[in-house]
Amino acid sequence: PQCQRAVASCVFGADRPASVGDGIIRIRRETKGRGGKAVTVIDGVPESADRLKSLCKQLKQRCGVGGAVKAAQIEIQGDQRTLCQQHLESMGYKVKLSGG
């Protein structure tokens, strides 16, 4: 829409963030549907899909666990909220922790 071209030929779509939201990254712990195992879910990262994968890799290395990018969310195994918060804040993001 910004370049006034057809969607197929738009040059802005490649590096566009998956979600923009309010600019605050939210980190929460989930166990629902995972057999009681905790997973740290990171929402609202204003980055493109490639950058999300790179960020996920950094967080997995920092925490020493596995994880994945699913539907514009980063999932890190275990309750790694504080480590993820520290890493993201050191990169200059605004981060909020929520329940669990």
Side-chain angles (χ1 to χ4, degrees):
Q2 295 170 342
C3 62
Q4 302 298 319
R5 298 181 188 177
V7 174
S9 63
C10 180
V11 295
F12 293 104
D15 60 349
R16 180 162 294 159
S19 65
V20 177
D22 58 1
I24 298 173
I25 297 174
R26 288 173 171 74
I27 302 176
R28 68 182 183 275
R29 177 179 167 265
E30 285 185 357
T31 56
K32 192 171 187 176
R34 304 176 196 279
K37 304 215 184 232
V39 172
T40 302
V41 179
I42 303 169
D43 255 339
V45 182
E47 297 291 347
S48 64
D50 290 338
R51 182 73 181 109
L52 275 179
K53 288 180 184 177
S54 173
L55 185 58
C56 181
K57 183 177 180 180
Q58 290 175 14
L59 289 169
K60 291 189 304 184
Q61 289 175 342
R62 172 85 186 251
C63 299
V65 296
V69 176
K70 293 185 181 174
Q73 295 179 337
I74 298 175
E75 294 183 358
I76 303 293
Q77 293 177 353
D79 187 0
Q80 309 293 336
R81 289 176 290 181
T82 53
L83 279 175
C84 291
Q85 179 187 21
Q86 291 168 359
H87 186 70
L88 291 169
E89 285 177 343
S90 73
M91 296 176 71
Y93 292 109
K94 280 187 173 181
V95 181
K96 278 189 179 179
L97 290 180
S98 54

